[in-house]
Amino acid sequence: MAVYKEEKTGTWRVIYRYTDWTGEKKQTQKRGFQTKREAQAWEREQLNKARADLDMTFKSFVEQYTADMQTRIKENTWATKEHIIRSKLLPYFGKLKMSNITAQQIITWQNELMNYKDENGKALSPVYLKTINNQLSAIFNHAVKFYGLKENPAANVGNMGKARSREMLFWTQEEYQKFAFAVMDKPVSYYAFEMLYWCGIREGELLALTAGDFDFERGTVTINKSYQRIDGRDVITEPKTPKSNRVIKMPDFLIEEIKEYLAKIYGLQKNDRVFNITKNYLHREMTRGADEAGVKRIRIHDLRHSHISLLIEMGYSAVAIADRVGHESINITYNYAHLFPSTQTDMADKLNNFRKEPTQNVS
């Protein structure tokens, strides 16, 4: 590396020569530093990054973390991570050296976020607080695993927030039917909510559906992708988890409804999205329909919970339900345990009868 003063501008320039991961020698430069000290500081930071020296700043390590991880993560997931890093982590930790960040600094940062209120006096949700903390910990874990950081200071502090901020809400069949009648005046809304309620699919899965995903002879819909809107672009990604790739059998009445709906879409091709609407549209329609029907307003995702609760009420096992909705069965058991009929009384009765059976004397 070399630092030069440019006479014409009176600013400083750094020329940085390095060897990339393929062994090829390369050169880059950065101009416009107001002082020699600023230029030399940038030069030192580049050397730290090249050597994977954790004397680099948190900001510089985030650049390395991004280079390592961005291509391995779904675009919509990375967009969420990037927003958290940019808005919640870099303003506090950006200028600190990775090797010097302490548990006490993390506690202070956690307290600031937990006490934060926006202009309307609203605090960050417990779920969001946990998500932010998890991202900080993920960065330190990456430094421990691949760059020789001795320990993860965020792990020593522990988490903030909690995994679930509020109780799941459900609609009964009666409540849903009232809602469905209220949105029937807009066919795209009605058929979209029919798919959500009767198939238990996720919002992104619904919006990614194409005409070719429906097999009316077999009465199935294939779930193999998810829709997101990122930076003004329509982005189709893989579903949330590998388990989410599935084929769902539709009830006969829904098959006929979707047939009718698709027949009304002019020039529909196999790869065309059949619900060419946005998440914001669905949320507005959810509010409108709930208000007109006089039923409680639930979240879009709560339609999935409603479908699962309906299947539990019908007597299906956690394994069967998980296969339909793209969950692990253990998650169905854990998250919906209170809805499954209790077998405790039956267990106690059988144990009681077992105890009363005469025992054979052993000579």
Side-chain angles (χ1 to χ4, degrees):
M1 288 196 185
V3 176
Y4 303 98
K5 186 170 185 178
E6 299 189 299
E7 297 302 329
K8 288 185 179 180
T9 62
T11 58
W12 292 81
R13 175 174 61 147
V14 179
I15 296 178
Y16 172 40
R17 300 178 181 88
Y18 65 100
T19 303
D20 70 9
W21 66 276
T22 67
E24 183 179 349
K25 294 186 182 298
K26 293 188 175 181
Q27 176 178 301
T28 187
Q29 62 179 324
K30 187 173 177 66
R31 287 186 160 109
F33 295 102
Q34 296 302 312
T35 66
K36 184 177 182 180
R37 178 177 293 181
E38 290 177 2
Q40 289 173 330
W42 185 86
E43 180 185 33
R44 284 194 301 273
E45 194 67 9
Q46 301 313 304
L47 285 170
N48 287 336
K49 288 170 68 175
R51 298 167 183 161
D53 188 333
L54 291 178
D55 267 351
M56 75 175 82
T57 62
F58 182 84
K59 181 177 183 295
S60 290
F61 187 77
V62 162
E63 293 171 1
Q64 188 62 54
Y65 175 77
T66 300
D68 292 345
M69 299 301 295
Q70 186 171 5
T71 57
R72 299 168 179 264
I73 296 173
K74 288 198 300 183
E75 187 176 354
N76 58 309
T77 304
W78 182 259
T80 301
K81 281 177 167 285
E82 191 276 333
H83 174 75
I84 290 172
I85 291 169
R86 174 170 41 83
S87 63
K88 300 299 187 294
L89 305 187
L90 287 179
Y92 194 93
F93 298 106
K95 295 180 180 179
L96 301 178
K97 289 185 177 182
M98 277 293 291
S99 57
N100 291 346
I101 296 174
T102 66
Q104 181 56 55
Q105 288 170 320
I106 292 173
I107 290 173
T108 302
W109 166 76
Q110 286 182 339
N111 289 339
E112 285 191 13
L113 288 179
M114 288 189 288
N115 292 325
Y116 170 81
K117 300 285 192 302
D118 66 14
E119 61 273 12
N120 298 317
K122 186 177 180 181
L124 299 174
S125 75
V127 169
Y128 192 46
L129 286 171
K130 184 176 176 65
T131 301
I132 294 169
N133 200 87
N134 286 348
Q135 182 53 64
L136 178 66
S137 191
I139 290 172
F140 281 118
N141 280 337
H142 192 75
V144 170
K145 188 172 182 179
F146 299 107
Y147 292 91
L149 186 66
K150 187 178 295 184
E151 61 180 1
N152 177 351
N156 292 337
V157 172
N159 222 320
M160 62 177 173
K162 58 183 180 180
R164 185 179 299 149
S165 62
R166 52 181 167 170
E167 183 182 358
M168 287 184 256
L169 297 175
F170 305 88
W171 271 344
T172 63
Q173 279 195 71
E174 182 182 1
E175 287 173 315
Y176 173 71
Q177 295 293 1
K178 288 180 180 178
F179 168 83
F181 182 78
V183 297
M184 200 174 285
D185 59 327
K186 294 183 179 180
V188 66
S189 301
Y190 173 74
Y191 293 117
F193 285 117
E194 284 283 272
M195 287 296 300
L196 289 168
Y197 183 80
W198 295 109
C199 292
I201 60 179
R202 299 177 178 92
E203 194 174 1
E205 294 170 347
L206 170 84
L207 297 180
L209 287 175
T210 60
D213 292 326
F214 293 93
D215 184 334
F216 294 120
E217 289 186 7
R218 291 184 173 86
T220 62
V221 58
T222 297
I223 306 298
N224 57 15
K225 52 192 171 295
S226 184
Y227 168 89
Q228 302 290 334
R229 185 79 175 166
I230 302 175
D231 297 329
R233 296 178 295 114
D234 292 338
V235 177
I236 302 297
T237 67
E238 294 178 352
K240 186 175 182 180
T241 67
K243 182 82 173 178
S244 300
N245 285 284
R246 61 202 190 277
V247 176
I248 298 173
K249 183 76 173 176
M250 297 187 295
D252 290 342
F253 69 85
L254 185 60
I255 294 171
E256 295 306 314
E257 286 183 342
I258 299 302
K259 271 187 184 178
E260 178 185 336
Y261 170 63
L262 297 189
K264 293 179 180 178
I265 303 176
Y266 177 77
L268 183 66
Q269 300 298 310
K270 181 179 179 180
N271 293 323
D272 291 343
R273 286 175 53 216
V274 298
F275 294 106
N276 196 16
I277 53 179
T278 65
K279 291 184 178 182
N280 284 337
Y281 174 86
L282 282 174
H283 286 253
R284 290 195 303 271
E285 284 296 277
M286 193 76 167
T287 299
R288 179 180 77 90
D291 288 345
E292 290 186 14
V295 298
K296 61 181 180 289
R297 168 63 158 89
I298 62 175
R299 299 169 301 170
I300 301 293
H301 196 70
D302 287 325
L303 289 172
R304 181 170 164 86
H305 299 321
S306 299
H307 181 72
I308 292 171
S309 68
L310 178 61
L311 295 179
I312 292 172
E313 184 182 341
M314 293 169 68
Y316 290 103
S317 69
V319 173
I321 295 170
D323 185 58
R324 181 173 178 83
V325 301
H327 257 313
E328 295 293 340
S329 59
I330 190 171
N331 292 334
I332 294 290
T333 303
Y334 177 77
N335 292 324
Y336 300 90
H338 59 293
L339 297 179
F340 283 95
S342 174
T343 58
Q344 289 289 334
T345 300
D346 183 58
M347 288 178 185
D349 289 343
K350 287 184 177 178
L351 288 170
N352 191 46
N353 292 334
F354 179 81
R355 177 66 179 83
K356 289 178 179 177
E357 290 179 4
T359 57
Q360 294 181 346
N361 293 325
V362 179
S363 56

